Coordinates of all heavy atoms in Angstrom, one line a residue:
M1073 N 93.9 103.3 96.2 CA 92.7 103.2 97.0 C 91.5 103.8 96.1 O 90.4 103.2 96.2 CB 92.8 104.0 98.3 CG 91.5 103.9 99.1 SD 91.6 104.6 100.7 CE 92.4 103.3 101.6
I1074 N 91.7 104.8 95.4 CA 90.7 105.4 94.6 C 90.2 104.4 93.5 O 89.0 104.2 93.3 CB 91.2 106.8 93.9 CG1 91.5 107.8 95.0 CG2 90.1 107.3 93.0 CD1 90.4 108.1 96.0
E1075 N 91.2 103.8 92.8 CA 90.8 102.8 91.8 C 90.0 101.7 92.4 O 89.0 101.2 91.8 CB 92.1 102.2 91.1 CG 92.8 103.2 90.2 CD 94.0 102.6 89.6 OE1 94.2 101.4 89.6 OE2 94.8 103.4 89.1
M1076 N 90.4 101.2 93.6 CA 89.7 100.1 94.2 C 88.3 100.6 94.6 O 87.3 99.8 94.4 CB 90.4 99.7 95.5 CG 89.8 98.5 96.2 SD 90.6 98.0 97.8 CE 92.4 98.3 97.4
G1077 N 88.2 101.8 95.0 CA 86.8 102.4 95.4 C 85.9 102.5 94.2 O 84.7 102.1 94.3
V1078 N 86.4 102.9 93.0 CA 85.6 103.0 91.8 C 85.2 101.6 91.4 O 84.0 101.3 91.1 CB 86.4 103.6 90.7 CG1 85.7 103.5 89.3 CG2 86.6 105.1 91.0
E1079 N 86.1 100.6 91.5 CA 85.8 99.2 91.2 C 84.7 98.7 92.1 O 83.7 98.0 91.7 CB 87.0 98.3 91.2 CG 86.8 96.9 90.8 CD 86.5 96.7 89.3 OE1 86.9 97.6 88.5 OE2 85.9 95.7 89.0
D1080 N 84.8 98.9 93.4 CA 83.8 98.5 94.4 C 82.5 99.1 94.1 O 81.4 98.5 94.2 CB 84.3 98.8 95.8 CG 85.4 97.9 96.3 OD1 85.7 96.8 95.6 OD2 86.1 98.2 97.3
L1081 N 82.5 100.4 93.8 CA 81.2 101.1 93.4 C 80.5 100.4 92.2 O 79.3 100.3 92.2 CB 81.4 102.6 93.2 CG 81.7 103.4 94.5 CD1 82.1 104.8 94.1 CD2 80.4 103.4 95.4
L1082 N 81.3 100.1 91.2 CA 80.8 99.5 90.0 C 80.1 98.2 90.4 O 79.1 97.8 89.7 CB 81.9 99.2 89.0 CG 82.4 100.4 88.2 CD1 83.7 100.1 87.4 CD2 81.3 101.0 87.3
H1083 N 80.6 97.5 91.4 CA 80.0 96.2 91.8 C 79.1 96.3 93.0 O 78.8 95.4 93.7 CB 81.1 95.2 92.1 CG 81.9 94.8 90.9 ND1 83.0 95.4 90.5 CD2 81.6 93.9 89.9 CE1 83.4 94.9 89.3 NE2 82.6 94.0 89.0
Q1084 N 78.8 97.6 93.3 CA 77.8 97.9 94.4 C 78.3 97.4 95.8 O 77.5 97.0 96.6 CB 76.4 97.5 94.1 CG 75.9 98.2 92.9 CD 74.5 97.8 92.5 OE1 74.0 96.8 93.0 NE2 73.9 98.6 91.7
R1085 N 79.6 97.4 96.0 CA 80.2 97.0 97.3 C 80.4 98.3 98.0 O 81.1 99.2 97.5 CB 81.5 96.2 97.1 CG 81.3 94.9 96.5 CD 82.6 94.1 96.5 NE 83.6 94.7 95.6 CZ 83.9 94.2 94.4 NH1 83.3 93.1 93.9 NH2 84.9 94.8 93.7
H1086 N 79.9 98.4 99.3 CA 80.1 99.6 100.1 C 81.2 99.4 101.0 O 81.0 99.3 102.2 CB 78.8 99.9 100.8 CG 77.7 100.3 99.8 ND1 76.4 100.4 100.2 CD2 77.7 100.5 98.5 CE1 75.7 100.7 99.1 NE2 76.4 100.7 98.1
T1087 N 82.4 99.4 100.5 CA 83.7 99.3 101.2 C 84.2 100.6 101.6 O 83.7 101.7 101.2 CB 84.7 98.6 100.4 OG1 85.0 99.4 99.2 CG2 84.2 97.2 99.9
I1088 N 85.3 100.6 102.4 CA 85.9 101.9 102.8 C 86.3 102.7 101.6 O 86.0 103.8 101.5 CB 87.0 101.6 103.8 CG1 86.4 101.2 105.2 CG2 87.9 102.9 104.0 CD1 87.4 100.7 106.2
P1089 N 87.1 102.1 100.7 CA 87.5 102.8 99.5 C 86.3 103.3 98.6 O 86.3 104.4 98.1 CB 88.3 101.8 98.6 CG 88.8 100.8 99.6 CD 87.7 100.7 100.7
A1090 N 85.2 102.5 98.5 CA 84.0 102.9 97.8 C 83.4 104.1 98.4 O 83.0 105.0 97.7 CB 83.0 101.7 97.7
L1091 N 83.2 104.1 99.7 CA 82.6 105.2 100.4 C 83.4 106.5 100.3 O 82.9 107.6 100.1 CB 82.3 104.8 101.8 CG 81.2 103.7 102.0 CD1 81.2 103.2 103.4 CD2 79.9 104.2 101.5
L1092 N 84.7 106.3 100.3 CA 85.6 107.5 100.2 C 85.5 108.1 98.8 O 85.4 109.3 98.7 CB 87.1 107.0 100.4 CG 88.1 108.1 100.6 CD1 87.8 109.0 101.8 CD2 89.5 107.5 100.7
V1093 N 85.4 107.2 97.8 CA 85.2 107.8 96.4 C 83.8 108.4 96.3 O 83.7 109.5 95.6 CB 85.4 106.6 95.4 CG1 84.9 107.1 94.0 CG2 86.8 106.2 95.3
A1094 N 82.8 107.8 96.9 CA 81.5 108.4 96.9 C 81.5 109.8 97.5 O 80.8 110.7 97.0 CB 80.5 107.5 97.6
I1095 N 82.3 110.0 98.6 CA 82.4 111.3 99.2 C 83.0 112.3 98.3 O 82.5 113.4 98.1 CB 83.2 111.2 100.5 CG1 82.4 110.4 101.6 CG2 83.6 112.6 101.0 CD1 83.3 110.0 102.8
G1096 N 84.0 111.9 97.6 CA 84.7 112.8 96.7 C 84.2 112.8 95.3 O 84.8 113.5 94.4
A1097 N 83.1 112.1 95.0 CA 82.6 112.0 93.6 C 82.5 113.3 92.8 O 83.0 113.3 91.7 CB 81.3 111.2 93.6
P1098 N 81.9 114.3 93.4 CA 81.7 115.5 92.6 C 83.0 116.1 92.1 O 83.2 116.5 90.9 CB 81.0 116.5 93.5 CG 80.3 115.6 94.5 CD 81.2 114.4 94.7
K1099 N 84.0 116.2 93.0 CA 85.3 116.7 92.7 C 86.1 115.8 91.7 O 86.7 116.3 90.8 CB 86.1 117.0 94.0 CG 87.5 117.5 93.7 CD 87.4 119.0 93.3 CE 88.8 119.6 93.3 NZ 88.8 121.0 92.8
L1100 N 86.0 114.5 92.0 CA 86.7 113.6 91.2 C 86.2 113.6 89.7 O 86.9 113.5 88.8 CB 86.6 112.2 91.8 CG 87.3 112.0 93.1 CD1 87.0 110.6 93.7 CD2 88.8 112.1 92.9
R1101 N 84.9 113.7 89.6 CA 84.3 113.8 88.3 C 84.7 115.1 87.6 O 85.0 115.1 86.4 CB 82.7 113.8 88.4 CG 82.2 112.4 88.6 CD 80.7 112.4 88.6 NE 80.1 111.2 89.0 CZ 79.2 111.0 90.0 NH1 78.8 112.0 90.6 NH2 78.8 109.8 90.3
S1102 N 84.8 116.2 88.3 CA 85.2 117.5 87.7 C 86.6 117.4 87.2 O 87.0 118.2 86.4 CB 84.9 118.6 88.7 OG 85.9 118.6 89.7
L1103 N 87.4 116.5 87.8 CA 88.8 116.3 87.4 C 89.0 115.3 86.3 O 90.1 115.0 85.9 CB 89.6 116.0 88.7 CG 89.7 117.1 89.7 CD1 90.3 116.5 91.0 CD2 90.6 118.2 89.2
G1104 N 87.9 114.7 85.9 CA 87.9 113.8 84.7 C 87.9 112.3 85.1 O 88.0 111.5 84.2
L1105 N 87.7 112.0 86.4 CA 87.7 110.6 86.7 C 86.3 110.1 86.5 O 85.3 110.8 86.9 CB 88.1 110.4 88.2 CG 88.3 109.0 88.7 CD1 89.6 108.4 88.0 CD2 88.5 109.0 90.2
E1106 N 86.1 108.9 86.0 CA 84.8 108.3 85.8 C 84.4 107.6 87.1 O 85.0 106.6 87.5 CB 84.8 107.3 84.6 CG 85.0 108.0 83.3 CD 84.9 107.0 82.1 OE1 84.1 106.0 82.2 OE2 85.5 107.2 81.1
V1107 N 83.3 108.2 87.7 CA 82.8 107.6 88.9 C 81.4 107.2 88.6 O 80.6 107.9 88.0 CB 82.8 108.7 90.0 CG1 82.2 108.1 91.3 CG2 84.3 109.1 90.3
P1108 N 81.0 106.0 89.0 CA 79.6 105.5 88.8 C 78.6 106.5 89.3 O 78.8 107.2 90.3 CB 79.5 104.2 89.6 CG 80.9 103.7 89.7 CD 81.8 105.0 89.8
E1109 N 77.4 106.5 88.7 CA 76.3 107.4 89.0 C 75.6 107.0 90.3 O 75.1 107.8 91.1 CB 75.4 107.6 87.9 CG 76.0 108.4 86.7 CD 76.3 109.8 87.0 OE1 75.6 110.5 87.8 OE2 77.3 110.3 86.5
N1110 N 75.4 105.7 90.4 CA 74.6 105.1 91.5 C 75.4 105.0 92.7 O 76.1 104.0 93.0 CB 74.0 103.7 91.1 CG 73.0 103.2 92.0 OD1 72.5 104.0 92.9 ND2 72.7 101.9 91.9
L1111 N 75.4 106.1 93.5 CA 76.3 106.1 94.7 C 75.5 105.8 96.0 O 74.3 106.1 96.0 CB 77.0 107.5 94.9 CG 77.9 107.9 93.7 CD1 78.4 109.3 93.9 CD2 79.0 106.9 93.6
P1112 N 76.1 105.3 97.0 CA 75.4 105.1 98.3 C 75.0 106.4 98.9 O 75.7 107.4 98.7 CB 76.4 104.4 99.2 CG 77.7 104.6 98.5 CD 77.5 104.9 97.1
S1113 N 73.9 106.4 99.6 CA 73.4 107.7 100.3 C 74.2 107.9 101.5 O 74.7 106.9 102.1 CB 71.9 107.6 100.6 OG 71.7 106.5 101.4
N1114 N 74.4 109.1 101.9 CA 75.1 109.5 103.1 C 76.5 108.8 103.3 O 76.8 108.2 104.3 CB 74.3 109.2 104.4 CG 73.0 110.0 104.4 OD1 73.0 111.2 104.1 ND2 71.9 109.4 104.7
P1115 N 77.4 108.9 102.3 CA 78.6 108.2 102.4 C 79.5 108.6 103.5 O 80.2 107.8 104.1 CB 79.3 108.4 101.0 CG 78.7 109.7 100.5 CD 77.3 109.7 101.1
E1116 N 79.4 109.8 104.0 CA 80.2 110.3 105.1 C 79.8 109.5 106.4 O 80.7 109.0 107.1 CB 80.0 111.8 105.3 CG 80.5 112.7 104.2 CD 79.4 113.0 103.2 OE1 78.3 112.3 103.2 OE2 79.7 113.8 102.3
H1117 N 78.5 109.4 106.6 CA 78.1 108.7 107.8 C 78.3 107.2 107.7 O 78.7 106.6 108.7 CB 76.6 109.0 108.1 CG 76.3 110.4 108.4 ND1 76.5 110.9 109.6 CD2 75.8 111.4 107.6 CE1 76.1 112.2 109.6 NE2 75.7 112.5 108.4
R1118 N 78.1 106.7 106.5 CA 78.3 105.2 106.4 C 79.8 104.9 106.5 O 80.1 103.8 107.1 CB 77.8 104.8 105.0 CG 76.3 105.0 105.0 CD 75.7 104.6 103.6 NE 75.7 103.1 103.6 CZ 75.1 102.4 102.7 NH1 74.5 103.0 101.7 NH2 75.1 101.1 102.7
L1119 N 80.7 105.7 106.0 CA 82.1 105.5 106.2 C 82.5 105.5 107.7 O 83.2 104.6 108.2 CB 83.0 106.5 105.4 CG 84.5 106.4 105.6 CD1 85.0 105.0 105.2 CD2 85.2 107.5 104.8
Y1120 N 82.0 106.5 108.4 CA 82.3 106.6 109.8 C 81.8 105.4 110.6 O 82.5 104.8 111.4 CB 81.8 107.9 110.4 CG 82.2 108.1 111.8 CD1 83.5 108.7 112.1 CD2 81.5 107.6 112.9 CE1 83.9 108.9 113.4 CE2 82.0 107.8 114.2 CZ 83.2 108.4 114.4 OH 83.6 108.5 115.7
D1121 N 80.6 105.0 110.3 CA 79.9 103.9 110.9 C 80.7 102.6 110.7 O 80.9 101.8 111.5 CB 78.5 103.7 110.5 CG 77.6 104.8 111.0 OD1 78.0 105.5 112.0 OD2 76.5 104.9 110.5
L1122 N 81.2 102.4 109.4 CA 82.0 101.2 109.1 C 83.3 101.2 109.8 O 83.7 100.2 110.4 CB 82.2 101.2 107.6 CG 82.8 100.0 106.9 CD1 81.9 98.8 107.2 CD2 83.0 100.2 105.4
L1123 N 83.9 102.4 110.0 CA 85.2 102.4 110.7 C 84.9 102.2 112.2 O 85.7 101.5 112.9 CB 85.8 103.8 110.6 CG 86.3 104.1 109.1 CD1 86.7 105.6 109.0 CD2 87.5 103.2 108.8
A1124 N 83.8 102.7 112.7 CA 83.5 102.6 114.1 C 83.1 101.1 114.5 O 83.4 100.7 115.6 CB 82.3 103.5 114.5
D1125 N 82.5 100.4 113.5 CA 82.2 99.0 113.8 C 83.4 98.2 114.0 O 83.4 97.3 114.8 CB 81.4 98.4 112.6 CG 80.0 98.9 112.5 OD1 79.5 99.4 113.5 OD2 79.4 98.7 111.4
S1126 N 84.5 98.5 113.2 CA 85.7 97.6 113.4 C 86.7 98.1 114.5 O 87.3 97.3 115.1 CB 86.4 97.5 112.0 OG 86.9 98.8 111.6
E1127 N 86.8 99.4 114.7 CA 87.7 100.0 115.7 C 87.1 101.3 116.2 O 87.5 102.4 115.9 CB 89.0 100.3 115.1 CG 89.7 99.0 114.6 CD 91.1 99.3 114.0 OE1 91.9 99.9 114.7 OE2 91.4 98.9 112.9
P1128 N 86.2 101.2 117.2 CA 85.4 102.3 117.7 C 86.3 103.4 118.3 O 86.1 104.6 118.2 CB 84.5 101.8 118.7 CG 84.8 100.3 118.9 CD 85.7 99.9 117.8
D1129 N 87.4 103.0 118.9 CA 88.3 104.0 119.6 C 89.1 104.8 118.6 O 89.5 105.9 119.0 CB 89.3 103.3 120.6 CG 88.6 102.7 121.8 OD1 87.4 103.1 122.1 OD2 89.1 101.7 122.4
S1130 N 89.3 104.4 117.4 CA 90.1 105.1 116.5 C 89.3 105.5 115.2 O 89.9 106.0 114.3 CB 91.3 104.3 116.1 OG 90.9 103.1 115.5
A1131 N 88.0 105.4 115.3 CA 87.2 105.7 114.1 C 87.4 107.2 113.6 O 87.6 107.5 112.4 CB 85.8 105.4 114.3
H1132 N 87.4 108.1 114.6 CA 87.5 109.5 114.2 C 88.8 109.8 113.6 O 88.8 110.5 112.5 CB 87.3 110.4 115.5 CG 87.2 111.8 115.2 ND1 86.1 112.4 114.7 CD2 88.1 112.8 115.4 CE1 86.4 113.7 114.5 NE2 87.6 114.0 115.0
S1133 N 89.9 109.4 114.1 CA 91.2 109.7 113.5 C 91.4 109.0 112.2 O 91.9 109.6 111.3 CB 92.3 109.3 114.5 OG 92.3 108.0 114.8
K1134 N 90.9 107.8 112.1 CA 91.0 107.1 110.8 C 90.1 107.8 109.7 O 90.5 107.9 108.6 CB 90.6 105.6 110.9 CG 91.6 104.8 111.6 CD 91.3 103.3 111.6 CE 92.4 102.6 112.4 NZ 92.7 101.4 111.8
Y1135 N 88.9 108.2 110.1 CA 88.1 108.9 109.2 C 88.8 110.2 108.7 O 88.8 110.4 107.5 CB 86.7 109.3 109.9 CG 85.8 110.1 109.0 CD1 84.9 109.4 108.2 CD2 85.8 111.5 109.0 CE1 84.0 110.1 107.3 CE2 85.0 112.2 108.2 CZ 84.1 111.5 107.4 OH 83.2 112.2 106.5
N1136 N 89.3 110.9 109.6 CA 90.0 112.2 109.2 C 91.2 111.9 108.3 O 91.5 112.6 107.3 CB 90.4 113.0 110.4 CG 89.3 113.6 111.1 OD1 88.2 113.9 110.5 ND2 89.4 113.9 112.4
A1137 N 91.9 110.8 108.6 CA 93.1 110.5 107.8 C 92.7 110.1 106.4 O 93.3 110.5 105.4 CB 93.9 109.3 108.4
L1138 N 91.6 109.4 106.3 CA 91.1 109.0 104.9 C 90.6 110.2 104.1 O 90.9 110.3 102.9 CB 89.9 108.0 105.1 CG 90.3 106.6 105.5 CD1 89.1 105.8 105.9 CD2 91.1 105.9 104.3
I1139 N 90.0 111.1 104.8 CA 89.5 112.4 104.1 C 90.8 113.2 103.7 O 90.8 113.7 102.5 CB 88.6 113.2 105.0 CG1 87.3 112.4 105.3 CG2 88.3 114.6 104.4 CD1 86.5 112.1 104.1
R1140 N 91.8 113.2 104.5 CA 93.0 113.9 104.1 C 93.7 113.3 102.9 O 94.2 114.0 102.0 CB 94.0 114.0 105.2 CG 93.7 115.0 106.3 CD 94.8 115.2 107.3 NE 95.2 114.0 108.0 CZ 94.7 113.6 109.1 NH1 93.7 114.3 109.7 NH2 95.1 112.5 109.7
R1141 N 93.6 111.9 102.8 CA 94.2 111.2 101.7 C 93.4 111.5 100.4 O 93.9 111.7 99.3 CB 94.2 109.7 101.9 CG 95.3 109.3 102.8 CD 95.3 107.8 103.0 NE 95.7 107.1 101.8 CZ 95.8 105.8 101.7 NH1 95.4 105.0 102.7 NH2 96.2 105.2 100.6
L1142 N 92.1 111.6 100.5 CA 91.2 111.9 99.4 C 91.5 113.3 98.9 O 91.7 113.6 97.7 CB 89.7 111.8 99.8 CG 88.7 112.3 98.8 CD1 88.8 111.5 97.5 CD2 87.3 112.3 99.4
V1143 N 91.6 114.3 99.8 CA 91.9 115.7 99.4 C 93.3 115.8 98.8 O 93.4 116.5 97.8 CB 91.7 116.6 100.6 CG1 92.2 118.0 100.3 CG2 90.3 116.7 101.1
S1144 N 94.2 115.1 99.3 CA 95.6 115.1 98.7 C 95.5 114.5 97.3 O 96.2 115.1 96.4 CB 96.5 114.2 99.6 OG 97.8 114.2 99.1
F1145 N 94.8 113.4 97.1 CA 94.7 112.9 95.8 C 94.0 113.9 94.8 O 94.5 114.0 93.7 CB 93.9 111.6 95.8 CG 93.7 110.9 94.5 CD1 94.7 110.1 93.9 CD2 92.6 111.2 93.7 CE1 94.5 109.6 92.7 CE2 92.4 110.6 92.5 CZ 93.4 109.8 92.0
E1146 N 93.0 114.5 95.3 CA 92.3 115.5 94.4 C 93.2 116.6 94.1 O 93.2 117.1 92.9 CB 91.0 116.0 95.1 CG 89.9 115.0 95.3 CD 88.8 115.4 96.2 OE1 89.0 116.4 97.0 OE2 87.8 114.8 96.2
R1147 N 94.0 117.1 95.0 CA 94.9 118.2 94.7 C 96.0 117.8 93.7 O 96.3 118.5 92.8 CB 95.5 118.7 96.0 CG 94.5 119.5 96.9 CD 95.2 120.0 98.1 NE 94.2 120.7 98.9 CZ 94.4 121.0 100.2 NH1 95.5 120.5 100.9 NH2 93.5 121.6 100.9
A1148 N 96.5 116.6 93.9 CA 97.5 116.1 93.0 C 97.0 115.9 91.6 O 97.6 116.3 90.6 CB 98.1 114.8 93.5
M1149 N 95.7 115.4 91.5 CA 95.1 115.2 90.2 C 94.9 116.6 89.5 O 95.0 116.7 88.3 CB 93.8 114.5 90.4 CG 93.3 113.9 89.1 SD 91.9 112.7 89.5 CE 91.4 112.4 87.9
A1150 N 94.5 117.6 90.3 CA 94.3 118.9 89.8 C 95.6 119.5 89.2 O 95.6 120.2 88.2 CB 93.7 119.8 90.9
C1151 N 96.7 119.2 89.9 CA 98.0 119.7 89.5 C 98.4 119.1 88.1 O 99.0 119.7 87.3 CB 99.1 119.5 90.5 SG 98.9 120.5 91.9
V1152 N 98.1 117.8 88.0 CA 98.5 117.1 86.8 C 97.7 117.6 85.6 O 98.2 117.6 84.5 CB 98.3 115.5 87.0 CG1 98.4 114.8 85.7 CG2 99.2 115.0 88.0
R1153 N 96.4 118.0 85.9 CA 95.5 118.4 84.8 C 95.9 119.8 84.3 O 95.4 120.2 83.3 CB 94.1 118.3 85.2 CG 93.6 116.9 85.4 CD 92.2 116.7 85.6 NE 91.3 117.5 84.7 CZ 90.9 117.0 83.5 NH1 91.2 115.9 83.1 NH2 90.1 117.8 82.8
K1154 N 96.7 120.6 85.0 CA 97.0 122.0 84.6 C 97.9 122.0 83.4 O 98.7 121.2 83.1 CB 97.6 122.7 85.8 CG 96.7 123.1 86.9 CD 97.3 123.9 87.9 CE 96.4 124.2 89.0 NZ 96.9 125.0 90.1

C-alpha cells in the first residue's frame, strides 16, 4: 500500500494509499523512504472524507485501521534500519 501511495503521489492522484503516505511522510522520510515533496494539504481530513464518501457508516473504523497499518509499517521499517 505504501509503494502504491508513493506512486499515486508522484502522479498527483489523491487516493487512499496516497493520502496515507502523505500523513506519514515526515516519519517515512526520516526512515529513508523517498516521498514526493508536493503533498496534498490536510491529508488526515481528506482521507477521512474519502472514506466517508464511499462508506459513511464505517469511515471511522476504516480510518483508524489504516492509521494502525501505517504505524505498523513505520515501526517495522525502523526495526529493519537498526
Side-chain angles (χ1 to χ4, degrees):
M1073 181 174 277
I1074 301 298
E1075 287 179 18
M1076 187 184 319
V1078 170
E1079 184 70 21
D1080 287 346
L1081 286 171
L1082 285 170
H1083 293 94
Q1084 298 180 346
R1085 294 186 294 255
H1086 296 169
T1087 62
I1088 289 171
L1091 294 169
L1092 192 61
V1093 169
I1095 291 168
K1099 179 70 171 179
L1100 294 170
R1101 285 184 185 126
S1102 75
L1103 294 168
L1105 192 70
E1106 291 186 32
V1107 177
E1109 292 294 326
N1110 189 15
L1111 299 175
S1113 60
N1114 298 318
E1116 296 90 350
H1117 294 282
R1118 293 179 78 170
L1119 175 58
Y1120 188 87
D1121 290 343
L1122 190 59
L1123 294 169
D1125 286 344
S1126 62
E1127 296 182 54
D1129 292 338
S1130 61
H1132 185 75
S1133 61
K1134 287 187 180 216
Y1135 178 88
N1136 287 334
L1138 287 167
I1139 297 300
R1140 283 192 301 272
R1141 285 181 71 182
L1142 173 64
V1143 170
S1144 178
F1145 179 83
E1146 291 169 343
R1147 288 179 180 163
M1149 198 169 173
C1151 287
V1152 170
R1153 291 190 46 91
K1154 286 184 181 182

